[in-house]
Amino acid sequence: MSNTKPTKRLTPASSETLLTLLETLPGALFVVDDAAKIVYANASAQTLLGATREEVCGKPLWRCAPQLVSTALYQAVQKTTQTRVPSEVAYRSPVTQTWLHVQLAPTVGGLLLQFHQGRAARTAAQREAPVPQGERLSIDDLNGLHTRIGVLTPEGIVLEINEVPLDDAHIRREEVIGKPLAEARWWSCSPPSQAQLRAAIARASRGETVRFETVVHPREGMDLHLEATIIPRRDVDHHVEYLVYVGTDITERKRAEAEIHALIDAIPQLVWIMRPDGYQDSFNQRARDYTGLSNEEAQGEGWMQCLHPEDRQRVRSAWQHAVQTGGGYETEMRLRQGTTGEYRWFLSRALPVRDEVGQTLKWFGTATDIDEQKQAEQRIKASEQNWRVLAETLPQLVWTTQPDGRVDYCNQRYCDLTQADFEQIRDYGWRQFLHPEDAEHTLALRQQSLATGELFENECRIRDGRTGAYRWFLARALPMRDATGQILKWFGTCTDIEEQKRAEQQLKESRESLRVLTETVPQLVWVRRPDGLLEYVNQRYRDYTGLLLEQIQSDPWAYLQFFHPDDRESHRAHLQHALDTGAMYEHEQRLRNGQSGEYRWFLARAMPVRDDAGQIVKWFGTATDIDEQKRTEEALRQSQERARVLMNSSIIGINIIEGEQIVDANDTYLRMTGYTREDLRAGRMNWMHMTPPDDLARTLEAHQELATQQSMTPYEKEYVCQGGSRLPVLVGAVVLEHHPFQAIAFVLDNSARKELEQRKDDFISMASHELRNPLAALKMQTQLVRKRLERQSQHEAATALSRVEGPVKQLERLVEELLDVSKIQAGRLEYVRETVDLDALLHEVAETMQQIHTTHTIVVRGAAPRSLVGDKDRLGQIFTNLISNAIKYSPGAETVEMDLSTSEETVTVRVCDHGLGIPREQRDKIFERFYRATGPRQKAIPGLGMGLYIVQEIVKRHGGTITVDSEVGKGSTFTVTLPRKRDA
């Protein structure tokens, strides 16, 4: 139901009367339509605006009346338009600073707004204010923030704006209020920025918070970089009511970034910058030169085209993990050189640069060539500043401070070492981690450097939060200054010198940065004069050779005694060539360890450093230990030799297969199968054709395993040889790593073992038949004698004789198992097809075994079907054997469980013990004929290893399966699954 009263249609006469009445009303009166366009303005309204009715009618109220526009009025108009309920609002004009009281009433197709000024308006405002005036927040209260803040309509019309952008542009508030923000002077001077703003307002009006960076021109000679944010504010119905615009001046940050980019281009490494979300932003010049990609081509994931295909997924996953966690990023990868197409190994590291609240602003990363272990030396420049910038990429504790010394950033390594978060370290919190004995001296030096602007350098101990121990660090800091020489920030590092402290104490202060770097690399480092004489070697060099720095400087050729005699002349020749031509020096040589006397292979490289005139001022060189690489190469050679010997083996047949074809084979394999090398070359050797029909299914199954698992479990089969004879063999194979379509197969002649097994089977068959009749006679005679003694009341003798029946029964069972094995091998084990009450059978077996074995309690749980087609005696034989084994192999347990379960298709019986268990590597073998577990405790338990072989055969003949799950020391569970219905 609507409460709106019906509106009478106005006649011309009544309309004229109404207009006369409106003209005489006190205050300025406007009639606007639903789009807030002015339909009518009375004389007072025209006077207030300083414009005629014709000049304002048909135009938006927000654009024609800047002195009336405010967020309060805009919200009141929106609310009255939506609710169609009269309302009023009082506020102070942001332009004239006078108080206005506005009454709003809905009309047909729009609103009527009546404005009152002066004391009455202020009184109305005070009457409406629910809190004291001093507690209300106005946009004017934000003028001191140096942030550009405005309130806009969803269309981008300015409702309110603070003084900062007005001061920037030297314009009055009324020149902006009520007009589109995009047409303000600082936006309209830059069409691209203007287009950015309009697009952002359009997105924000749809409910999206929009952030973007842009450049504006408030006035002549003034350019500002802004980080703009437009936030939509919604009403109770979740419609966008108005927009809040915030523009933050990031000009200084952009200037600093430009300076950083200049520094980055000077760094002798591949350097890249990512956005906080991991989007590739830019490369330095060296990276562009190496990859051949421009910044535009490398942006986003474009740079990944230079990655080796095998590394892409791993590198992408590592990088995404670093972006998500904010932790350090470090990975090794191969990058393609854009000119030559060569892939080289690089060590890529990246760390986030965070603001004061820990938000990631950028990611700075480096990629160091580790293919030759000399990236750092190749990039060293004569300028000490280049060394310092390079040092920022090394694994050190990195920190920055404000000019007054308050820490405003530290890298993740700092937090990892101290086991503290940034909030505990920031400002002066870092002092708590100093050794008490070092704190006073360190703080005094730091205060002195802050006061003078000089280099800060100090050795101190910092507590390792992981162990509580203190470690020695070399702390260094340098100020960054603006064009006027004012210090903007301090950049500092702490280098772990626990192991190198003594050596680094000897370094000269003027070369401190260079020498700290050389002491941290895992190589022998040396510096030569232009004439080739050594003037410096690092501590690692001195430790290896045993030479002192004084010995090297007094006798520059002393180092030659550590060269292998066979390498000295070639070293001299290569070095002299480099000195003469200025070309890079590179030479593999053997150096003797001064302590052990052992020679190790090193790769020595050196590059000249030139001055501005191109003259060589120094040679920087490294010697990288490649002894392990050499050993690896030798091991590979030996491995290849072993492979050659294996291929020439006279025992093992080896062939290479591709598809069904045998493409290569050793002589042994050819001799085994009767084929010739000519047959091989002619393609007449095909393993499918060489496989008899009986073995084809198992052979295809093995090759399917090879295709999916890359290897084949060795299995037995027969080969049809060239002459038609059959050869029993054992075959195994693996896929070749670098040739995925080929596999290498190893073949053993199995004929001797097969012959031995046949003899064993013949013996078992003969022995079981020869033993069966005498054993039956012995059993019958024993029972007759026992019964005769019982009738004669000679109970003691009868009891003694009854004890003989137990071993006789065991011997009888052994003979039966031997007969079963013999029949299985001959394929003559008989089965009766009948309907079996499986549930009754299982309970009967359990009760019988319980009477025989009183040491264990046999627990039966669940139920089995009462109708199952099978051989009752053979089924009983399965579970008698499993329960007997469970009791036998759990001597220390008290129970054996048998769990029965049924589904529509199958019945499952699980026999579980809590005994010795079966090692994993023996589980697949226990169903083999005569196989027994090999543990010391299992060996003490009697048996021939035939029971499970027979059980598995009976289960298979019933269409079922048997599996085992076991853990050593906890027991085993045998699971038998039988089909409820079997085909005839």
Side-chain angles (χ1 to χ4, degrees):
M1 293 289 292
S2 172
N3 295 325
T4 305
K5 296 180 179 180
T7 304
K8 296 180 179 179
R9 184 177 299 277
L10 294 175
T11 65
S14 64
S15 176
E16 182 178 350
T17 302
L18 176 60
L19 291 175
T20 303
L21 178 62
L22 294 177
E23 291 293 332
T24 60
L25 285 175
L29 186 138
F30 296 88
V31 178
V32 300
D33 61 16
D34 286 338
K37 291 183 178 179
I38 299 175
V39 177
Y40 169 78
N42 69 357
S44 297
Q46 298 170 45
T47 302
L48 180 63
L49 299 181
T52 66
R53 181 178 293 125
E54 290 74 15
E55 291 174 332
V56 299
C57 284
K59 297 181 180 178
L61 173 66
W62 314 117
R63 303 199 63 171
C64 295
Q67 60 270 53
L68 303 180
V69 174
S70 80
T71 304
L73 176 62
Y74 178 77
Q75 291 175 309
V77 169
Q78 295 293 104
K79 179 179 178 182
T80 306
T81 300
Q82 294 172 4
T83 63
R84 312 303 294 172
V85 175
S87 65
E88 58 183 317
V89 65
Y91 62 93
R92 188 166 62 183
S93 168
V95 174
T96 64
Q97 300 299 311
T98 60
W99 284 93
L100 298 173
H101 177 220
V102 188
Q103 295 172 310
L104 302 91
T107 66
V108 177
L111 297 178
L112 186 146
L113 294 85
Q114 188 172 10
F115 290 79
H116 303 281
Q117 302 185 70
R119 182 177 300 174
R122 183 167 185 174
T123 302
Q126 293 172 343
R127 183 174 66 252
E128 290 183 4
V131 295
Q133 185 65 24
E135 298 181 16
R136 298 182 62 186
L137 179 63
S138 165
I139 198 167
D140 294 330
D141 298 324
L142 304 176
N143 284 332
L145 295 180
H146 300 289
T147 302
R148 291 134 191 86
I149 303 175
V151 180
L152 316 176
T153 70
E155 296 79 22
I157 305 299
V158 179
L159 299 175
E160 294 189 40
I161 194 165
N162 69 341
E163 290 292 340
V164 177
L166 304 179
D167 292 344
D168 289 342
H170 292 174
I171 60 175
R172 301 188 307 279
R173 189 184 300 271
E174 53 267 30
E175 295 180 58
V176 179
I177 296 294
K179 296 182 176 59
L181 179 61
E183 295 180 8
R185 179 184 301 171
W186 56 90
W187 291 100
S188 60
C189 292
S190 174
S193 300
Q194 191 178 42
Q196 269 187 287
L197 176 64
R198 283 174 173 155
I201 290 173
R203 290 166 57 192
S205 67
R206 295 193 292 270
E208 179 183 354
T209 297
V210 184
R211 295 178 175 84
F212 62 96
E213 293 184 4
T214 189
V215 179
V216 297
H217 308 281
R219 61 178 184 272
E220 186 67 29
M222 184 179 187
D223 292 336
L224 293 178
H225 287 267
L226 293 183
E227 183 177 69
T229 304
I230 303 179
I231 306 170
R233 297 298 184 187
R234 301 178 184 271
D235 58 18
V236 294
D237 296 324
H238 301 291
H239 298 124
V240 175
E241 187 175 11
Y242 61 91
L243 308 176
V244 176
Y245 162 80
V246 180
T248 303
D249 186 350
I250 60 171
T251 304
E252 287 302 320
R253 193 183 86 193
K254 286 293 184 181
R255 185 177 294 117
E257 288 179 357
E259 294 173 356
I260 290 174
H261 277 288
L263 291 175
I264 286 173
D265 276 338
I267 294 177
Q269 289 173 293
L270 313 190
V271 181
W272 40 271
I273 301 174
M274 296 277 192
R275 298 176 188 173
D277 61 359
Y279 183 91
Q280 171 72 44
D281 203 351
S282 63
F283 272 159
N284 71 343
Q285 186 61 48
R286 192 173 299 273
R288 295 194 292 275
D289 293 344
Y290 180 83
T291 62
L293 298 178
S294 65
N295 269 331
E296 292 72 20
E297 292 171 325
Q299 283 182 344
E301 289 197 348
W303 63 277
M304 283 200 170
Q305 64 185 284
C306 297
L307 275 174
H308 195 286
E310 295 177 1
D311 299 341
R312 288 176 188 168
Q313 185 56 45
R314 174 175 55 81
V315 172
R316 181 184 285 110
S317 298
W319 175 236
Q320 290 173 348
H321 177 75
V323 171
Q324 291 167 4
T325 62
Y329 165 75
E330 182 172 321
T331 191
E332 292 183 357
M333 59 188 182
R334 287 165 285 185
L335 288 178
R336 187 181 66 243
Q337 212 281 343
T339 304
T340 65
E342 173 195 9
Y343 283 98
R344 294 181 66 82
W345 277 103
F346 283 78
L347 174 63
S348 181
R349 290 194 179 103
L351 290 173
V353 176
R354 297 186 172 91
D355 57 19
E356 289 82 352
V357 296
Q359 293 296 317
T360 299
L361 300 175
K362 295 280 186 184
W363 284 84
F364 285 89
T366 62
T368 303
D369 189 331
I370 59 172
D371 207 65
E372 300 173 350
Q373 292 294 322
K374 64 174 295 293
Q375 181 63 25
E377 289 74 19
Q378 290 177 333
R379 302 292 187 264
I380 293 176
K381 303 292 183 180
S383 168
E384 188 172 340
Q385 179 63 31
N386 285 350
W387 286 106
R388 292 169 184 161
V389 173
L390 179 61
E392 292 296 329
T393 66
L394 295 178
Q396 298 166 295
L397 313 186
V398 181
W399 43 271
T400 64
T401 77
Q402 297 294 329
D404 61 1
R406 288 183 294 108
V407 170
D408 58 9
Y409 166 79
C410 71
N411 68 350
Q412 188 60 43
R413 290 184 186 275
Y414 204 129
C415 297
D416 291 343
L417 176 77
T418 59
Q419 292 294 288
D421 56 33
F422 176 65
E423 293 302 319
Q424 295 172 280
I425 298 171
R426 72 179 307 159
D427 293 335
Y428 302 111
W430 58 275
R431 297 176 177 178
Q432 63 184 297
F433 303 105
L434 287 174
H435 193 287
E437 296 177 3
D438 301 337
E440 182 178 353
H441 177 67
T442 300
L443 297 178
L445 287 177
R446 188 71 186 112
Q447 288 302 319
Q448 179 182 349
S449 68
L450 292 173
T452 62
E454 296 175 349
L455 166 73
F456 167 71
E457 182 169 310
N458 179 50
E459 292 180 357
C460 59
R461 286 163 288 183
I462 299 177
R463 187 173 72 244
D464 188 332
R466 297 164 293 192
T467 64
Y470 285 91
R471 296 184 65 83
W472 277 103
F473 281 81
L474 172 65
R476 304 182 79 248
L478 287 170
M480 185 180 73
R481 303 177 186 270
D482 60 16
T484 64
Q486 293 295 316
I487 294 176
L488 300 176
K489 190 180 285 287
W490 285 83
F491 288 87
T493 63
C494 293
T495 303
D496 190 327
I497 58 171
E498 185 71 21
E499 304 299 330
Q500 298 86 21
K501 186 172 183 298
R502 180 178 302 175
E504 292 182 0
Q505 287 174 346
Q506 300 171 3
L507 297 176
K508 296 180 181 179
E509 185 176 350
S510 61
R511 304 295 298 278
E512 189 69 24
S513 177
L514 170 61
R515 297 184 181 181
V516 169
L517 180 61
T518 60
E519 293 302 330
T520 60
V521 296
Q523 294 160 302
L524 312 185
V525 181
W526 42 267
V527 180
R528 293 181 183 272
R529 299 199 311 236
D531 59 3
L533 295 181
L534 280 172
E535 68 174 22
Y536 168 78
V537 294
N538 69 347
Q539 185 62 43
R540 193 179 297 274
Y541 195 115
R542 299 197 294 273
D543 290 344
Y544 186 83
T545 62
L547 289 174
L548 299 176
L549 185 60
E550 293 77 11
Q551 292 175 286
I552 294 173
Q553 291 174 339
S554 62
D555 183 3
W557 303 107
Y559 74 94
L560 281 176
Q561 63 182 294
F562 296 97
F563 276 69
H564 193 283
D566 295 342
D567 300 335
R568 291 174 188 171
E569 286 307 315
S570 59
H571 160 70
R572 286 179 184 271
H574 280 80
L575 179 61
Q576 192 59 49
H577 175 75
L579 296 174
D580 292 342
T581 64
M584 184 181 79
Y585 165 76
E586 182 170 332
H587 183 239
E588 290 186 359
Q589 56 207 18
R590 286 162 289 183
L591 295 179
R592 188 179 76 247
N593 185 294
Q595 295 181 351
S596 65
E598 172 195 11
Y599 282 97
R600 294 183 66 84
W601 279 100
F602 283 80
L603 174 62
R605 289 193 177 98
M607 288 285 289
V609 176
R610 303 176 187 270
D611 59 18
D612 295 337
Q615 294 297 314
I616 295 176
V617 294
K618 287 192 186 300
W619 285 84
F620 286 94
T622 62
T624 304
D625 189 328
I626 59 170
D627 201 69
E628 290 301 322
Q629 177 183 331
K630 287 287 189 179
R631 293 176 187 272
T632 301
E633 292 173 355
E634 177 61 22
L636 178 60
R637 187 193 62 76
Q638 294 178 1
S639 176
Q640 292 172 339
E641 177 63 21
R642 287 194 294 270
R644 185 188 64 78
V645 171
L646 183 62
M647 285 294 291
N648 294 330
S649 169
S650 61
I651 300 175
I652 302 175
I654 299 175
N655 64 58
I656 307 259
I657 60 173
E658 185 172 334
E660 297 180 4
Q661 201 67 27
I662 298 174
V663 297
D664 197 5
N666 68 350
D667 292 339
T668 302
Y669 182 79
L670 296 175
R671 186 179 67 253
M672 290 165 60
T673 58
Y675 284 89
T676 66
R677 188 70 59 184
E678 179 59 33
D679 294 328
L680 183 65
R681 284 193 291 268
R684 292 193 287 268
M685 296 186 67
N686 183 297
W687 57 262
M688 283 279 286
H689 299 160
M690 296 169 64
T691 302
D694 295 346
D695 292 336
L696 189 57
R698 177 66 185 94
T699 300
L700 291 174
E701 179 185 339
H703 279 269
Q704 181 63 35
E705 177 189 3
L706 178 66
T708 57
Q709 304 296 327
Q710 306 298 298
S711 64
M712 175 195 299
T713 304
Y715 72 104
E716 294 182 2
K717 64 173 287 185
E718 287 187 343
Y719 271 138
V720 177
C721 298
Q722 172 72 330
S725 62
R726 292 194 178 190
L727 176 69
V729 291
L730 179 68
V731 182
V734 294
V735 173
L736 293 174
E737 181 178 357
H738 300 294
H739 299 279
F741 298 106
Q742 291 185 344
I744 182 169
F746 301 91
V747 182
L748 286 175
D749 186 337
N750 211 19
S751 55
R753 189 171 72 84
K754 284 292 184 180
E755 182 179 354
L756 181 61
E757 287 183 356
Q758 183 61 46
R759 292 179 181 178
K760 187 190 298 182
D761 291 339
D762 293 342
F763 171 76
I764 290 172
S765 177
M766 178 189 69
S768 57
H769 282 87
E770 293 297 326
L771 288 173
R772 189 176 189 183
N773 292 333
L775 187 61
L778 176 62
K779 179 180 178 182
M780 183 178 65
Q781 291 296 327
T782 302
Q783 291 175 346
L784 289 174
V785 172
R786 178 174 57 80
K787 289 178 181 180
R788 186 178 301 158
L789 291 172
E790 286 176 349
R791 284 195 300 268
Q792 296 175 0
S793 299
Q794 297 183 24
H795 298 294
E796 184 176 349
T799 301
L801 191 60
S802 66
R803 295 192 188 99
V804 177
E805 294 182 5
V808 170
K809 287 181 179 179
Q810 290 179 348
L811 188 57
E812 186 179 35
R813 179 179 175 186
L814 175 60
V815 171
E816 290 297 329
E817 287 183 348
L818 288 170
L819 281 171
D820 285 344
V821 169
S822 177
K823 291 176 181 179
I824 289 171
Q825 290 299 110
R828 293 186 285 101
L829 189 62
E830 298 177 352
Y831 294 88
V832 177
R833 187 177 178 86
E834 59 186 328
T835 301
V836 180
D837 185 339
L838 185 61
D839 190 75
L841 174 63
L842 293 174
H843 282 81
E844 178 184 336
V845 169
E847 290 171 2
T848 301
M849 295 302 291
Q850 184 66 80
Q851 293 174 3
I852 298 173
H853 301 280
T854 58
T855 57
H856 292 67
T857 300
I858 301 173
V859 179
V860 181
R861 291 188 287 259
R866 296 187 177 277
S867 177
L868 183 77
V869 176
D871 187 319
K872 179 179 179 181
D873 292 339
R874 293 300 183 187
L875 289 172
Q877 187 177 355
I878 292 173
F879 300 106
T880 298
N881 189 290
L882 292 179
I883 294 175
S884 176
N885 281 354
I887 293 171
K888 186 164 52 174
Y889 287 97
S890 59
E894 296 179 353
T895 61
V896 170
E897 292 98 24
M898 185 161 59
D899 293 312
L900 318 178
S901 61
T902 305
S903 67
E904 289 187 11
E905 301 294 331
T906 62
V907 56
T908 301
V909 182
R910 293 181 178 85
V911 179
C912 177
D913 67 64
H914 305 281
L916 305 179
I918 305 167
R920 180 183 299 274
E921 64 274 9
Q922 298 181 20
R923 291 179 201 166
D924 294 337
K925 301 179 181 180
I926 60 173
F927 294 104
E928 295 178 5
R929 187 170 42 145
F930 304 120
Y931 184 84
R932 300 191 66 233
T934 59
R937 298 185 64 185
Q938 287 92 335
K939 286 184 176 179
I941 298 172
L944 293 179
M946 295 184 294
L948 289 177
Y949 170 73
I950 297 171
V951 165
Q952 184 184 48
E953 180 64 24
I954 296 173
V955 170
K956 284 182 180 179
R957 291 294 298 269
H958 280 78
T961 61
I962 180 169
T963 60
V964 61
D965 184 23
S966 182
E967 186 174 350
V968 175
K970 293 188 177 181
S972 304
T973 299
F974 285 83
T975 302
V976 177
T977 303
L978 298 170
R980 297 188 62 178
K981 298 179 180 178
R982 293 177 59 196
D983 296 333

